[in-house]
Amino acid sequence: MGVLVQEQAGLFHLQSPGMSYMIQIVDGYPLHVYWGGRLKHREQMDDLLIHTPAKAGLDRLPQEYPQYGSGDFRNPAYQAELEDGTRITELKYEGYRILKGKPSLSGLPAVYTEDDAEAETLELELKDAYSGLKVILSYTIFADRNVITRSARLSNAGDNNLRLRRALSASVDFSGKSDLEMMYLTGAWAREANIIRKPIHQGETRIDSKRGMSSHQFNPFAALVTPETTESHGEAYGFSLVYSGSFEAEAEVDSFGSTRVSIGLNSFDFAWLLSPGESFQTPEAVMVYSGQGLGGMSRTYHRLYRTRLCRGKFRDEERPILVNNWEATYFNFDADKLVSIAEEGARLGIELFVLDDGWFGKRDSDNSSLGDWYEDRRKLPDGLADVAQRVNEQGLKFGLWFEPEMISPDSELYRKNPDWCLHVPGRRRSEARWQLVLDYTRQEVRDYIFDSLSAIFTTVPVSYVKWDMNRALTEIGSAALPPERQSETAHRYVLGLYELLERITSAFPHILFESCSSGGGRFDPGMLYYMPQTWTSDNTDGVERLKIQYGTSLVYPVSAIGAHVSAVPNHQVGRMTPLEFRGDVAMSGNFGYELDLTKFTDEEKEIVKRQVSAYKEIRGLVQKGDLYRLKSPFQGNESSWMFVSEDQKEAVVYYFQVMAVPNAPLRSLRLDGLNPELEYEVQPGNNGETSIHGGDRLMQLGLTLAYQQKDYESGWFRLRAVTP
């Protein structure tokens, strides 16, 4: 396994335990031969090789990094403009090298290895002889995962300037495959991660973001599946971009029945000047093949992102159960009110108190003070350190909310530095939520934020930070960049963000950072590299969260999914749901509460105690176990999923019914992921009567469900293998 080469045939075979990916050099062009289930490597593989000569037309060839202008009329992977204004380049193969392990990407987050034995990397070198444009295509194949990561590094080895107009991370041509379906995640604020699945036809199926962030509207992920693919059967090809800015992903079906899939930086409004000797590195695309349906694809992504994308001490640690004061108080609080919530949380077994928005500057509403990162002594006369100490005395750790990428026009920072925001001279500065976006392309801006946050982290015992980002980028221009580089602003913003995140997470490794962007507006692999969890949605309604968390799990691990119980009527949709139902939904992620615990009745407090106690027992399994989705909330009134330990000896199963069903039939729930040879003790989460069943029976016949005639019904079961 690894990278296998047949030089005479010009064949490169990337092989993992269950997958093969093959490339062939034909007339100097790297062509795509195969991607799918694992093939044995043989001395003679002529039946797989591509014999069509280039003179037959590039439009008929399945290319690995296609160009435009020399006969291929489909969408290219890159485009470069020469100094004379022409845009024709033709990359030809120059050579290859194989590296042990996986090199890091300069200035960009990426999947990593901890030992060189985990992977091998193939680099193909291509060059346009006329312009001097050189491209290194990088492919990493993993020894124990059906994963390929791809990226491209474009360099100017000529004597004149080049301007990149397009620089995607990956392009794959599926020859003769036009009967596929495309899956992706779409939505808006408060209704993120809706799953769309639809057939692709001749023409283009495209998702993208032009917002300077990965966005609520589309996630930087897409998958191609066969029509018969289900959760547990059929083929799935996943494409995930490790990037937090504007992106594009597309499936283009041509007139010959082939499908070209591409993913990378959004080419709209993008350009990058390459002077002689300079290089440009694309973000990384993570490609997963599954022959075991969508579930197999998801679990591959989950394990990879949880253990080889997330970093730091919290990668492997169980996450704390928290209470956040936002929906309890909004901006109206004082130190005593905050501590009272923490005191109640301590009695209920909660481990972390988070002070959300409103503690800094003169922040009495969301129309001021962003950028003024110093405590508001009007609200907190004795300061943050006093509040944190009082919270710590209750046995809880202390966390804080920040929105460090934004600036309020009504702030001391803006009055001193009005050019520190993204803006275009002579144009209005579009405000959203009464705020503008700081220009993170500028080192002095990033230094100010680093120094401001560091001053707090070194004087206040902060254990957790919620890093928010509440608006998209507009008037994308920088006062610090010359005219010829203004089209680089959006990408330079993301690179500046990554530079700052690397500095601050490295300087304060004891702090658990959680990413947020009005909920899931920037739930992407790029942010997970720096922050191992993300606030999944501002919508905390239990019913809506079934869809949001289910959809998010298509590619992201449960360890990354922040999920809280909030008050009813729900603040986003006004729905009334039982506390038990809200708790069961939230316990299927990183668990917490976002409400005023002091207002609970004694009965509600007992329910919370049970939830907290139960979650402490199962959170290792929830956060690190293999997820199996059993019933989709997008397909009916019921939802269900389960988490299974790596050794298959433990599992926890959740079941939800949204609305009551009159004269309901008998119900059973077929489980998945268990060992059919083992016997399991099944313990209902409500401490009902235990029973013992074989893993084969639970997966083939199912677990019988009792029916209660009520809306918003939920329940869970704990499974443990027992000795026969």
mmCIF file of all heavy atoms in Angstrom, residues 544-561:
data_model
loop_
_atom_site.group_PDB
_atom_site.id
_atom_site.type_symbol
_atom_site.label_atom_id
_atom_site.label_comp_id
_atom_site.label_asym_id
_atom_site.label_seq_id
_atom_site.Cartn_x
_atom_site.Cartn_y
_atom_site.Cartn_z
ATOM 1 N N GLU A 544 -35.663 21.559 15.731
ATOM 2 C CA GLU A 544 -34.796 22.035 14.658
ATOM 3 C C GLU A 544 -33.386 21.464 14.784
ATOM 4 O O GLU A 544 -32.721 21.191 13.784
ATOM 5 C CB GLU A 544 -34.752 23.560 14.660
ATOM 6 C CG GLU A 544 -36.041 24.213 14.228
ATOM 7 C CD GLU A 544 -36.452 23.810 12.821
ATOM 8 O OE1 GLU A 544 -35.603 23.902 11.915
ATOM 9 O OE2 GLU A 544 -37.608 23.390 12.637
ATOM 10 N N ARG A 545 -32.936 21.294 16.019
ATOM 11 C CA ARG A 545 -31.581 20.768 16.211
ATOM 12 C C ARG A 545 -31.446 19.321 15.731
ATOM 13 O O ARG A 545 -30.343 18.873 15.407
ATOM 14 C CB ARG A 545 -31.187 20.866 17.686
ATOM 15 C CG ARG A 545 -30.529 22.196 18.072
ATOM 16 C CD ARG A 545 -29.268 22.431 17.238
ATOM 17 N NE ARG A 545 -28.492 23.569 17.680
ATOM 18 C CZ ARG A 545 -27.325 23.496 18.295
ATOM 19 N NH1 ARG A 545 -26.776 22.320 18.546
ATOM 20 N NH2 ARG A 545 -26.683 24.580 18.645
ATOM 21 N N LEU A 546 -32.544 18.556 15.665
ATOM 22 C CA LEU A 546 -32.461 17.209 15.108
ATOM 23 C C LEU A 546 -31.900 17.259 13.691
ATOM 24 O O LEU A 546 -30.988 16.507 13.332
ATOM 25 C CB LEU A 546 -33.844 16.547 15.099
ATOM 26 C CG LEU A 546 -34.453 16.179 16.443
ATOM 27 C CD1 LEU A 546 -35.890 15.702 16.250
ATOM 28 C CD2 LEU A 546 -33.627 15.109 17.142
ATOM 29 N N LYS A 547 -32.434 18.165 12.876
ATOM 30 C CA LYS A 547 -31.967 18.295 11.497
ATOM 31 C C LYS A 547 -30.564 18.894 11.442
ATOM 32 O O LYS A 547 -29.701 18.426 10.690
ATOM 33 C CB LYS A 547 -32.937 19.163 10.699
ATOM 34 C CG LYS A 547 -34.305 18.557 10.480
ATOM 35 C CD LYS A 547 -35.189 19.493 9.668
ATOM 36 C CE LYS A 547 -36.561 18.876 9.421
ATOM 37 N NZ LYS A 547 -37.446 19.797 8.662
ATOM 38 N N ILE A 548 -30.342 19.945 12.227
ATOM 39 C CA ILE A 548 -29.062 20.656 12.166
ATOM 40 C C ILE A 548 -27.911 19.727 12.553
ATOM 41 O O ILE A 548 -26.875 19.667 11.882
ATOM 42 C CB ILE A 548 -29.108 21.903 13.056
ATOM 43 C CG1 ILE A 548 -30.085 22.938 12.476
ATOM 44 C CG2 ILE A 548 -27.719 22.515 13.216
ATOM 45 C CD1 ILE A 548 -30.421 24.074 13.416
ATOM 46 N N GLN A 549 -28.082 18.991 13.664
ATOM 47 C CA GLN A 549 -27.006 18.116 14.124
ATOM 48 C C GLN A 549 -26.862 16.890 13.229
ATOM 49 O O GLN A 549 -25.743 16.418 12.987
ATOM 50 C CB GLN A 549 -27.241 17.727 15.580
ATOM 51 C CG GLN A 549 -27.099 18.912 16.517
ATOM 52 C CD GLN A 549 -27.501 18.639 17.962
ATOM 53 O OE1 GLN A 549 -27.858 19.543 18.694
ATOM 54 N NE2 GLN A 549 -27.447 17.396 18.387
ATOM 55 N N TYR A 550 -27.967 16.361 12.715
ATOM 56 C CA TYR A 550 -27.902 15.222 11.801
ATOM 57 C C TYR A 550 -27.153 15.622 10.529
ATOM 58 O O TYR A 550 -26.241 14.922 10.076
ATOM 59 C CB TYR A 550 -29.322 14.775 11.472
ATOM 60 C CG TYR A 550 -29.427 13.502 10.653
ATOM 61 C CD1 TYR A 550 -29.725 12.290 11.269
ATOM 62 C CD2 TYR A 550 -29.277 13.511 9.261
ATOM 63 C CE1 TYR A 550 -29.850 11.116 10.523
ATOM 64 C CE2 TYR A 550 -29.399 12.352 8.516
ATOM 65 C CZ TYR A 550 -29.687 11.153 9.150
ATOM 66 O OH TYR A 550 -29.810 10.008 8.402
ATOM 67 N N GLY A 551 -27.522 16.764 9.946
ATOM 68 C CA GLY A 551 -26.866 17.201 8.721
ATOM 69 C C GLY A 551 -25.394 17.496 8.928
ATOM 70 O O GLY A 551 -24.546 17.118 8.114
ATOM 71 N N THR A 552 -25.064 18.171 10.026
ATOM 72 C CA THR A 552 -23.671 18.493 10.319
ATOM 73 C C THR A 552 -22.830 17.235 10.417
ATOM 74 O O THR A 552 -21.669 17.199 9.998
ATOM 75 C CB THR A 552 -23.573 19.309 11.615
ATOM 76 O OG1 THR A 552 -24.342 20.509 11.469
ATOM 77 C CG2 THR A 552 -22.132 19.678 11.938
ATOM 78 N N SER A 553 -23.417 16.162 10.959
ATOM 79 C CA SER A 553 -22.666 14.918 11.152
ATOM 80 C C SER A 553 -22.340 14.212 9.854
ATOM 81 O O SER A 553 -21.594 13.231 9.850
ATOM 82 C CB SER A 553 -23.458 13.960 12.062
ATOM 83 O OG SER A 553 -24.524 13.329 11.356
ATOM 84 N N LEU A 554 -22.858 14.692 8.733
ATOM 85 C CA LEU A 554 -22.528 14.062 7.460
ATOM 86 C C LEU A 554 -21.024 14.088 7.219
ATOM 87 O O LEU A 554 -20.462 13.170 6.614
ATOM 88 C CB LEU A 554 -23.266 14.767 6.322
ATOM 89 C CG LEU A 554 -23.362 14.020 4.999
ATOM 90 C CD1 LEU A 554 -24.150 12.728 5.145
ATOM 91 C CD2 LEU A 554 -24.006 14.903 3.929
ATOM 92 N N VAL A 555 -20.355 15.131 7.746
ATOM 93 C CA VAL A 555 -18.911 15.247 7.527
ATOM 94 C C VAL A 555 -18.147 15.547 8.812
ATOM 95 O O VAL A 555 -16.988 15.175 8.943
ATOM 96 C CB VAL A 555 -18.601 16.316 6.443
ATOM 97 C CG1 VAL A 555 -19.098 17.667 6.867
ATOM 98 C CG2 VAL A 555 -17.124 16.364 6.100
ATOM 99 N N TYR A 556 -18.788 16.181 9.812
ATOM 100 C CA TYR A 556 -18.057 16.635 10.992
ATOM 101 C C TYR A 556 -18.313 15.739 12.201
ATOM 102 O O TYR A 556 -19.443 15.304 12.430
ATOM 103 C CB TYR A 556 -18.453 18.077 11.326
ATOM 104 C CG TYR A 556 -18.122 19.013 10.189
ATOM 105 C CD1 TYR A 556 -19.121 19.522 9.374
ATOM 106 C CD2 TYR A 556 -16.798 19.340 9.903
ATOM 107 C CE1 TYR A 556 -18.813 20.355 8.308
ATOM 108 C CE2 TYR A 556 -16.487 20.172 8.836
ATOM 109 C CZ TYR A 556 -17.499 20.674 8.046
ATOM 110 O OH TYR A 556 -17.177 21.488 6.993
ATOM 111 N N PRO A 557 -17.265 15.480 13.004
ATOM 112 C CA PRO A 557 -17.417 14.584 14.154
ATOM 113 C C PRO A 557 -18.275 15.198 15.243
ATOM 114 O O PRO A 557 -18.349 16.431 15.385
ATOM 115 C CB PRO A 557 -15.970 14.384 14.629
ATOM 116 C CG PRO A 557 -15.251 15.617 14.185
ATOM 117 C CD PRO A 557 -15.882 15.997 12.877
ATOM 118 N N VAL A 558 -18.918 14.355 16.030
ATOM 119 C CA VAL A 558 -19.770 14.825 17.118
ATOM 120 C C VAL A 558 -18.956 15.604 18.139
ATOM 121 O O VAL A 558 -19.461 16.529 18.783
ATOM 122 C CB VAL A 558 -20.494 13.627 17.768
ATOM 123 C CG1 VAL A 558 -21.241 14.049 19.027
ATOM 124 C CG2 VAL A 558 -21.468 13.007 16.765
ATOM 125 N N SER A 559 -17.675 15.285 18.280
ATOM 126 C CA SER A 559 -16.815 16.017 19.207
ATOM 127 C C SER A 559 -16.693 17.484 18.836
ATOM 128 O O SER A 559 -16.261 18.306 19.645
ATOM 129 C CB SER A 559 -15.416 15.394 19.247
ATOM 130 O OG SER A 559 -14.805 15.451 17.965
ATOM 131 N N ALA A 560 -17.078 17.851 17.606
ATOM 132 C CA ALA A 560 -17.008 19.248 17.157
ATOM 133 C C ALA A 560 -18.335 19.974 17.301
ATOM 134 O O ALA A 560 -18.398 21.183 17.108
ATOM 135 C CB ALA A 560 -16.565 19.298 15.698
ATOM 136 N N ILE A 561 -19.405 19.272 17.647
ATOM 137 C CA ILE A 561 -20.761 19.821 17.603
ATOM 138 C C ILE A 561 -21.179 20.323 18.978
ATOM 139 O O ILE A 561 -21.416 19.539 19.898
ATOM 140 C CB ILE A 561 -21.755 18.760 17.086
ATOM 141 C CG1 ILE A 561 -21.426 18.403 15.634
ATOM 142 C CG2 ILE A 561 -23.188 19.250 17.204
ATOM 143 C CD1 ILE A 561 -22.269 17.272 15.064
#
